[in-house]
Amino acid sequence: MTAVTPAAELAAAVELLTAARSVTVLCHVQPDADTIGSGLALAQVLARRGVPVRVSFADPAELPASMRSLPGIEYLVPPAQVPHEVDLLIAVDCGSVGRLGALADRIPGAATTLVLDHHRSNTRFGTVNLIDAAAESTTSLLARVFDAWGEPIDRPVAHCLFAGLVTDTGCFRWAGSGTHRLAERLLATGIDGAGITRTLMDSHPFGWLPMLSRVLDTARLEPDAAAGVGLVYAFVRRTDIDGLRSEEVESVIDVVRTTAEAGIAAVFKESRTTSELWTVSLRSRDSGVGTDDGVDVAQVATRLGGGGHRYAAGYTTKGTPEALVAALLSALS
């Protein structure tokens, strides 16, 4: 894990955390384990320092079931209980204000806003912005924050940090040079790494299987896309996901991206509540070991109103399936 974050920004973040009298931690909409793990890890450390803290996210109404065993869940509150005024507001794993959803309106009431993130496309909307695009996850960035702050990483905090690390690295398939060192440090606290991973990534209800069958039937291959790199895509319709959790929907991209004939994968996911409103997951990969030639899908997503990382990004859009595919192919060209 290469520490490229300027020391001044790290020191400024620690100073804000030390001085905070009340804290709101906001996670991004459609939360994953990195944003929730970061939020709950921060809440536990702040609470043991005696600082009042709340953690929240705007959408959906409930936390995904796979994350409900994370320590610190008692600090999670619904959006209506998030105060409009607070000493310090912290946004974790949020690349832009838009990722906060309806809770973005809490920013004006915060005396100071701290952004902790690892997305290269981050818009730096905080008073202090601690951004490290080389960090594997926001939880790995937080590990450095806790060290600089002099706060120990105990077993419950390690559980939350590991959750973000294992999910954002795809079970360590996209590990950096220091990823395994951090994982070993967290595992040394006594957490059940295998159990955490299984709960977050390898447990689905039976209904996931017929949903996956329907969705994969929509898969199409565009071998000439992106100057021959190739695109594979699929659609998840709102009618496909009745009774299923958000984690089942989000897992589809990890199946589609395995297509050997395409260097880029996309999954278009329709809103449960609004017809023809879609969130789009993008993934890319290098053509071979050591080639470092994968398409930067963060740039593609940014052109379409989103953002993310070089190999994993996303955006939100409206329209018919045909229009969505045409817009993506145009952006890729």
Side-chain angles (χ1 to χ4, degrees):
M1 181 164 50
T2 305
V4 300
T5 304
E9 292 180 5
L10 180 58
V14 170
E15 183 177 351
L16 287 178
L17 290 165
T18 302
R21 299 183 303 275
S22 62
V23 176
T24 292
V25 184
L26 296 183
C27 305
H28 62 67
V29 294
Q30 303 300 324
D32 58 12
D34 193 25
T35 191
I36 294 295
S38 297
L40 298 183
L42 265 172
Q44 291 177 79
V45 172
L46 287 161
R48 75 188 183 199
R49 292 175 61 91
V51 180
V53 58
R54 294 177 177 86
V55 182
S56 192
F57 57 89
D59 186 66
E62 295 184 351
L63 183 69
S66 62
M67 300 176 217
R68 293 174 192 168
S69 60
L70 290 177
I73 201 78
E74 63 271 21
Y75 301 107
L76 194 64
V77 301
Q81 293 182 23
V82 176
H84 285 268
E85 295 184 358
V86 71
D87 185 38
L88 176 63
L89 184 146
I90 308 174
V92 288
D93 200 45
C94 295
S96 66
V97 172
R99 292 289 283 156
L100 295 173
L103 284 171
D105 68 358
R106 300 309 200 270
I107 291 179
T112 308
T113 299
L114 170 63
V115 175
L116 302 174
D117 189 28
H118 70 129
H119 292 93
R120 185 179 59 191
S121 58
N122 191 285
T123 59
R124 298 178 180 269
F125 58 93
T127 311
V128 173
N129 301 283
L130 185 55
I131 315 297
D132 185 358
E136 303 88 338
S137 64
T138 298
T139 59
S140 67
L141 174 60
L142 264 180
R144 293 208 301 275
V145 171
F146 293 150
D147 288 345
W149 198 8
E151 287 292 338
I153 297 175
D154 59 15
R155 183 173 177 174
V157 171
H159 184 144
C160 291
L161 298 183
F162 187 85
L165 183 66
V166 73
T167 52
D168 262 32
T169 59
C171 289
F172 303 104
R173 284 176 291 180
W174 311 300
S177 60
T179 307
H180 294 288
R181 287 196 297 272
L182 176 58
E184 173 58 28
R185 177 185 175 189
L186 300 176
L187 290 167
T189 65
I191 61 172
D192 179 4
I196 295 169
T197 303
R198 183 172 57 253
T199 300
L200 290 170
M201 306 187 73
D202 290 331
S203 298
H204 297 290
F206 177 78
W208 178 70
L209 296 176
M211 180 275 284
L212 197 60
S213 175
R214 292 191 298 271
V215 169
L216 293 182
D217 192 49
T218 72
R220 299 292 183 270
L221 179 67
E222 297 282 351
D224 297 327
V229 172
L231 167 71
V232 60
Y233 64 86
F235 284 87
V236 182
R237 292 281 196 170
R238 57 198 298 195
T239 53
D240 294 324
I241 57 178
D242 286 346
L244 293 177
R245 310 171 304 180
S246 60
E247 42 264 74
E248 274 67 67
V249 179
E250 297 305 319
S251 70
V252 173
I253 187 64
D254 292 322
V255 178
V256 175
R257 66 180 297 275
T258 61
T259 303
E261 295 89 346
I264 304 165
V267 173
F268 301 89
K269 299 162 291 185
E270 191 174 21
S271 166
R272 293 177 189 265
T273 58
T274 306
S275 179
E276 296 194 343
L277 173 64
W278 310 80
T279 57
V280 187
S281 296
L282 297 177
R283 299 291 186 271
S284 69
R285 65 164 181 261
D286 296 331
S287 61
V289 177
T291 56
D292 194 34
D293 60 355
V295 171
D296 188 342
V297 290
Q299 290 188 4
V300 177
T302 299
R303 294 185 200 119
L304 295 167
H309 307 285
R310 175 179 175 181
Y311 297 105
Y315 60 98
T316 301
T317 187
K318 293 182 178 180
T320 65
E322 296 77 15
L324 268 55
V325 172
L328 177 56
L329 288 172
S330 177
L332 287 171
S333 67

